[in-house]
Amino acid sequence: MSNILRESESRAVLKSLESSYCPKPIQEARDRQDKILIERFRGRRYTIADIGCGTGYHGSIFAPACELYHGFEISAHIGEISRVRWQEEGLTNTTLFLGDASEAALQNEFYDLVFCLYFTPGNFREASADLSLYTDAYLDRNPSFIAIFSRFYQALKPGGLMFLTIYKDVPEAETAQIDFYEHTNQHIVTPRGSRFVATAEHFWSARWTSESLSSNLRECGIPEQDVFCHDLNHIAWLVEIKRQNGQFEKARDA
């Protein structure tokens, strides 16, 4: 992605993170996601990777008690907000990695938990001004998604867990996306009924069917039987992925 496109997208992402407005279904899904993760993992000494850590919100929740918290963020400006936030909170076990997560230097079987939350998995793609690139075939085997999550899956310890928050491909999710982006002064350029919403500001957010999720995860080397979807609400799933041969309990709804 060119620097101009990346900077434009980063500005759009920051607006959505800092916006005081959030459509009710999206906020409901975020709150439900956080409730599940906090009840299960807050206060425990885990090693955690946060892909697309944004302004550091989840680091503030989990890092105080965990072994270490690694935030991965492609935007230098947004990443600096995380770094300052964690520094001001006195967190000494957090590290920020700037750059493309698909190129991060990772150690195999290192993390207990990998997070990619607040619908960030739907933002990864090969950037192009030509929206015709993003066909159904592309969305079902997204090279950028596969490059990132196959590597972080290998970075999980046996028994470790990965969590992804994604939009369901339903009209209500599309409506909520459009509502949110328009309230952050973005301009929608995709026709209704597309499987993703793109803006003139170069933000891009895909929705998922169970089939597209399964096909992408298969390409990452993740067995289908190790994937569980928490139904957050009518527009969103929290996807839980277990790397087998460990001690974590079987996934259950919180």
Side-chain angles (χ1 to χ4, degrees):
M1 182 184 286
S2 72
N3 288 336
I4 293 174
L5 290 180
R6 180 67 69 199
E7 289 173 6
S8 178
E9 181 187 43
S10 295
R11 286 193 296 270
V13 170
L14 187 57
K15 283 182 180 180
S16 68
L17 290 173
E18 295 183 336
S19 175
S20 59
Y21 176 81
C22 186
K24 184 177 178 180
I26 295 177
Q27 188 61 57
E28 180 182 72
R30 286 178 171 182
D31 291 345
R32 172 68 172 154
Q33 164 216 272
D34 287 345
K35 182 176 186 291
I36 291 172
L37 297 178
I38 288 169
E39 287 183 352
R40 290 180 62 179
F41 305 119
R42 190 178 195 176
R44 299 177 183 272
R45 293 193 63 78
Y46 292 126
T47 55
I48 301 175
D50 186 352
I51 307 168
C53 66
T55 56
Y57 172 72
H58 289 101
S60 296
I61 293 173
F62 294 100
C66 75
E67 184 71 24
L68 59 83
Y69 198 98
H70 288 172
F72 295 83
E73 177 55 54
I74 199 164
S75 166
H77 178 61
I78 296 176
E80 179 65 10
I81 296 172
S82 290
R83 188 192 66 77
V84 170
R85 175 183 191 148
W86 296 338
Q87 183 179 53
E88 290 177 346
E89 292 171 349
L91 297 173
T92 59
N93 59 342
T94 58
T95 304
L96 178 68
F97 296 89
L98 291 176
D100 189 331
S102 69
E103 299 173 358
L106 302 175
Q107 180 179 330
N108 284 351
E109 300 185 2
F110 184 79
Y111 295 109
D112 297 302
L113 300 172
V114 172
F115 294 155
C116 191
L117 307 173
Y118 283 10
F119 306 104
T120 301
N123 301 148
F124 299 123
R125 87 283 190 194
E126 296 171 306
S128 173
D130 180 8
L131 297 182
S132 66
L133 167 69
Y134 309 120
T135 62
D136 284 353
Y138 180 96
L139 295 172
D140 289 344
R141 288 176 177 79
N142 181 329
S144 295
F145 177 95
I146 294 163
I148 291 169
F149 291 103
S150 59
R151 299 182 75 243
F152 277 88
Y153 178 69
Q154 293 301 317
L156 274 176
K157 296 175 182 177
L161 298 169
M162 180 185 292
F163 291 89
L164 319 177
T165 313
I166 62 174
Y167 288 114
K168 300 175 185 177
D169 188 24
V170 295
E172 295 86 351
E174 181 181 24
T175 296
Q177 288 175 291
I178 292 171
D179 182 19
F180 197 14
Y181 308 148
E182 288 182 340
H183 271 84
T184 55
N185 299 315
Q186 298 185 66
H187 302 85
I188 308 301
V189 294
T190 38
R192 280 275 189 170
S194 302
R195 284 177 56 189
F196 61 95
V197 174
T199 74
E201 291 72 25
H202 306 293
F203 190 68
W204 189 91
S205 181
R207 297 185 306 282
W208 302 74
T209 64
S210 57
E211 292 79 12
S212 66
L213 174 64
S214 294
S215 63
N216 276 283
L217 294 180
R218 278 197 303 271
E219 293 296 318
C220 296
I222 298 172
E224 189 169 349
Q225 65 268 24
D226 296 339
V227 180
F228 177 84
C229 290
H230 298 269
D231 201 18
L232 296 176
N233 63 6
H234 62 293
I235 70 161
W237 285 306
L238 176 63
V239 181
E240 179 170 350
I241 299 162
K242 181 176 181 179
R243 191 164 185 195
Q244 286 295 342
N245 302 319
Q247 60 189 6
F248 281 84
E249 289 186 333
K250 176 79 174 170
R252 292 191 301 267
D253 271 321

